[in-house]
Amino acid sequence: MDKLNDLADEQLAILYIEGNNRAFDLLLSRNQSKLFSYILFVVRDQNRAEDIFQETFVKVITKLQAGRYVVSGKFSAWVMRIAHNVMMDWYREQRTQHIVEPAEGNDLSNISAKDLLDGNIENMYVNTQVMDDVKKMMNLLPPTQREVVYMRYYQDMSFKEIAETTGVSINTSLGRMRYAILNMRRMARKYGVALQLD
């Protein structure tokens, strides 16, 4: 197992395709937390997120076993693209215009932006309040905009990676980000929220 720990996810995926089940166990343990956080952020419901997470990994296993995985980028981005497709399928089934209401008590407390903030205690307090306000406004964005903001700022993905993961063009990803920022600015003006980090 020690030798497996030294391998990249993409190499582990190939080993799993060749029949090494321990390689898949390691892939799952490396990716499950980040993937589940992403799904939960988008769907806003713990039980639904668990179902989508399980369905995503069933599809991952099926695609790997069918030889439909090609090393052409990060394995985690490939898995996130599958999760994105599973979520979009779920939304289509619900026939809800792709709008998700925030679940009660879901304040995005599982996302930490403290590593983005520095300064003295007073600045830290102000910055924490600003980030809390931003998270509340993000809850009100349409899912496609919220998803792009989450991937860009909380998972540090490039717009190219976002486009590949969500199956849209880079221009569409940029457009969604632009509209998300415009919507958040509009909300900030409406409610008198200052979005300035010190």
Side-chain angles (χ1 to χ4, degrees):
M1 189 72 160
D2 289 337
K3 291 181 181 179
L4 288 178
N5 284 327
D6 296 335
L7 298 178
D9 287 356
E10 297 75 22
Q11 294 169 303
L12 291 172
I14 298 301
L15 283 176
Y16 174 68
I17 291 169
E18 294 171 353
N20 187 329
N21 289 331
R22 291 186 310 151
F24 183 79
D25 293 341
L26 188 53
L27 272 175
L28 178 61
S29 69
R30 283 183 185 176
N31 290 281
Q32 65 186 1
S33 177
K34 180 179 178 182
L35 182 67
F36 186 78
S37 294
Y38 162 63
I39 294 168
L40 182 61
F41 181 81
V42 174
V43 301
R44 307 289 183 186
D45 179 88
Q46 181 81 22
N47 292 331
R48 188 176 305 142
E50 288 171 3
D51 290 344
I52 290 173
F53 177 82
Q54 289 176 6
E55 186 176 341
T56 298
F57 264 95
V58 166
K59 288 190 182 243
V60 166
I61 291 168
T62 303
K63 288 177 185 291
L64 286 171
Q65 290 176 345
R68 293 176 54 199
Y69 172 73
V70 178
V71 180
S72 61
K74 291 183 180 178
F75 177 80
S76 61
W78 182 72
V79 172
M80 286 181 65
R81 187 168 43 252
I82 293 171
H84 169 80
N85 291 338
V86 170
M87 287 185 285
M88 292 304 108
D89 289 346
W90 184 85
Y91 284 128
R92 280 186 210 98
E93 288 172 15
Q94 301 304 309
R95 299 173 190 231
T96 62
Q97 301 178 339
H98 304 283
I99 295 176
V100 180
E101 294 299 323
E104 187 175 326
N106 187 347
D107 62 358
L108 305 179
S109 60
N110 60 334
I111 300 173
S112 173
K114 293 195 186 318
D115 56 334
L116 300 175
L117 309 173
D118 60 5
N120 61 33
I121 294 293
E122 292 154 28
N123 286 349
M124 190 63 151
Y125 176 77
V126 170
N127 290 342
T128 300
Q129 183 61 49
V130 168
M131 293 307 291
D132 287 345
D133 291 340
V134 167
K135 288 176 187 176
K136 287 175 186 170
M137 285 186 278
M138 284 174 62
N139 275 328
L140 302 173
L141 292 173
T144 54
Q145 293 174 21
R146 189 170 59 236
E147 181 180 44
V148 170
V149 171
Y150 179 77
M151 289 176 165
R152 181 73 180 126
Y153 291 106
Y154 293 97
Q155 293 193 323
D156 201 28
M157 293 174 70
S158 70
F159 282 105
K160 181 179 182 210
E161 291 171 322
I162 293 168
E164 290 171 358
T165 300
T166 57
V168 299
S169 69
I170 291 176
N171 285 342
T172 300
S173 295
L174 289 167
R176 288 177 179 173
M177 177 63 78
R178 179 177 176 270
Y179 284 117
I181 291 169
L182 289 173
N183 284 333
M184 291 173 73
R185 284 182 180 156
R186 181 183 43 78
M187 286 185 259
R189 277 193 305 274
K190 181 177 179 181
Y191 298 109
V193 177
L195 295 177
Q196 179 78 30
L197 292 177
D198 291 332

